[in-house]
Amino acid sequence: MLFLLFFPTGSRAMLPLLVLMLCVNTVLSAMTTDPTLDQHWELWKNRYSKTYNKTEEGWRRMVWEKNLKKIELHNLEHSMGKHSFTLGMNHFGDLTNEEFRQMMNGYKPRAEKKVKGSWFMKPNFLNVPSSVDWRESGYVTPVKYQGGCGSCWAFSATGAMEGQLYRMTGRLVSLSEQNLVDCSRPEGNEGCSGGWMDRAFQYVLDNGGLDSESSYPYMGVDMPCRYDPSYSVISLAGYADVVSGSEVSLMEAVGSVGPVSVAIDAGHTSFQFYQSGIYSEPDCSSLDLDHGVLVVGYGTAQSLLSDANYWIVKNSWGSSWGDNGYIYMSKDNDNNCGIATAASYPLI
């Protein structure tokens, strides 16, 4: 759309309006979308049940197209051997990276060492297996979805507790993230605004239990605490932290104990749209962590060129994200994305 304004010679009174119209024209010109993607856009909206008002849809369409171009470029570079993983369009496609990080990444930086916490001690004569996948042994519940609540810390914590409960009893019981979101503020967590896995373990320790998922279902919003001890299925004796920054110690803990809670730097567009392969992000930080996840194993992928070690990581963004809800993160790669910086697990 072009605005043509005519002024008398020497007139200055209308110059501000001219500048305004030129700015509007620039914005409107930038808001054009690619008509060849119309069908693709409609299919994507239908798949993820996306609805917008007329004003919002134009903006979301532009964000989606920009993300799609980034994905296509990355995958082209992957086909040329420049990346070890692929990206794919998912339900975060209409979010800018800033919006995505604010909505989904709720891990808070680790607080000071707690009195009741302990340190992981490598068992005597431990022979760490070269590969482990605790999913195959029944330790891991199906992938869950945190929704728009910054409760990743709660899902990471329940995943670690579910694994330890199975290890001790042989029963795999889905535990309540909502119980943690609603009730662990006295321990320092902030519900949907974020939290710590250690603080979640501390709550269960202080509280004397945690309800099951079926008795205290996930709502994805902050609500009043409704813990009922009659539905509690687990109690803790404490929790242990893994030596910070040591992937060897993390491997020993995962290999001997079971799934371990970890915090990572997940704030990059490459993580937002991860789809398959071994994730290695050169821009990742090993200190600025923003997302809680669960390491459920590790292994080595063989290729024609080399062998690549990886961590098997369970996320809480639903099974339509990543590799059926999982991401395979680079292992023994200088603590890439901080995966070994803040690892811990509960003690039963």
Side-chain angles (χ1 to χ4, degrees):
M1 182 181 297
L2 179 63
F3 293 91
L4 296 177
L5 300 176
F6 299 92
F7 301 101
T9 303
S11 174
R12 297 179 181 272
M14 297 298 288
L15 282 178
L17 180 60
L18 174 60
V19 173
L20 175 62
M21 292 299 100
L22 289 174
C23 289
V24 171
N25 179 55
T26 300
V27 171
L28 291 175
S29 297
M31 290 179 64
T32 57
T33 57
D34 184 350
T36 64
L37 295 175
D38 287 350
Q39 185 177 10
H40 192 174
W41 169 246
E42 293 300 325
L43 289 172
W44 178 84
K45 286 195 301 178
N46 290 335
R47 178 177 180 182
Y48 296 111
S49 301
K50 299 281 187 173
T51 57
Y52 314 95
N53 60 43
K54 186 175 182 180
T55 302
E56 183 185 17
E57 177 149 1
W59 162 249
R60 292 300 164 193
R61 168 72 179 266
M62 285 190 298
V63 172
W64 177 84
E65 286 193 16
K66 183 177 180 181
N67 286 330
L68 184 63
K69 290 177 181 178
K70 289 180 180 178
I71 292 168
E72 291 174 343
L73 176 59
H74 176 98
N75 289 343
L76 176 61
E77 292 175 344
H78 172 267
S79 69
M80 300 167 63
K82 292 186 178 181
H83 303 292
S84 58
F85 61 99
T86 65
L87 304 183
M89 180 55 71
N90 57 34
H91 49 296
F92 299 131
D94 59 349
L95 298 178
T96 66
N97 185 248
E98 292 76 14
E99 291 173 320
F100 161 78
R101 286 187 281 112
Q102 184 176 8
M103 179 185 298
M104 302 306 298
N105 297 347
Y107 173 79
K108 300 291 185 179
R110 171 177 284 186
E112 71 282 356
K113 186 76 175 75
K114 280 69 66 180
V115 175
K116 294 182 180 179
S118 60
W119 292 102
F120 165 71
M121 300 296 292
K122 176 182 175 180
N124 291 331
F125 310 110
L126 173 65
N127 184 16
V128 183
S130 59
S131 64
V132 166
D133 186 345
W134 291 112
R135 296 174 297 182
E136 298 174 352
S137 302
Y139 279 60
V140 186
T141 57
V143 171
K144 304 177 184 181
Y145 183 41
Q146 70 186 71
C149 170
S151 54
C152 57
W153 57 273
F155 285 84
S156 174
T158 57
M161 287 187 281
E162 289 163 355
Q164 290 308 296
L165 181 62
Y166 181 84
R167 181 181 180 218
M168 297 299 294
T169 68
R171 295 186 302 121
L172 183 63
V173 180
S174 183
L175 300 175
S176 175
E177 295 80 23
Q178 192 68 42
N179 188 169
L180 294 174
V181 169
D182 295 343
C183 307
S184 65
R185 288 181 181 273
E187 283 68 31
N189 287 323
E190 301 174 12
C192 285
S193 296
W196 299 259
M197 285 77 82
D198 278 7
R199 295 299 196 185
F201 301 145
Q202 185 67 55
Y203 162 75
V204 180
L205 184 62
D206 293 342
N207 190 54
L210 184 72
D211 285 349
S212 66
E213 189 89 64
S214 60
S215 65
Y216 200 148
Y218 186 68
M219 304 301 291
V221 294
D222 293 315
M223 300 182 70
C225 181
R226 306 187 311 280
Y227 169 74
D228 186 339
S230 64
Y231 292 109
S232 176
V233 292
I234 189 173
S235 59
L236 300 184
Y239 48 91
D241 294 329
V242 179
V243 176
S244 181
S246 173
E247 291 192 73
V248 172
S249 294
L250 178 57
M251 179 178 175
E252 291 171 347
V254 174
S256 62
V257 173
V260 172
S261 291
V262 299
I264 58 174
D265 173 9
H268 303 274
T269 300
S270 59
F271 198 96
Q272 181 177 350
F273 296 109
Y274 167 83
Q275 185 172 68
S276 65
I278 299 178
Y279 182 78
S280 178
E281 173 55 70
D283 293 331
C284 256
S285 171
S286 61
L287 297 176
D288 296 329
L289 314 179
D290 59 10
H291 188 49
V293 289
L294 186 72
V295 174
V296 302
Y298 54 84
T300 301
Q302 297 182 343
S303 68
L304 294 176
L305 299 178
S306 64
D307 294 341
N309 298 332
Y310 59 83
W311 298 104
I312 308 171
V313 178
K314 181 185 181 184
N315 203 356
S316 53
W317 294 346
S319 59
S320 62
W321 177 87
D323 193 332
N324 296 311
Y326 284 83
I327 181 170
Y328 296 84
M329 299 187 67
S330 181
K331 179 176 177 288
D332 305 320
N333 182 19
D334 196 26
N335 191 23
N336 191 238
C337 296
I339 195 163
T341 298
S344 61
Y345 62 90
L347 303 174
I348 295 181

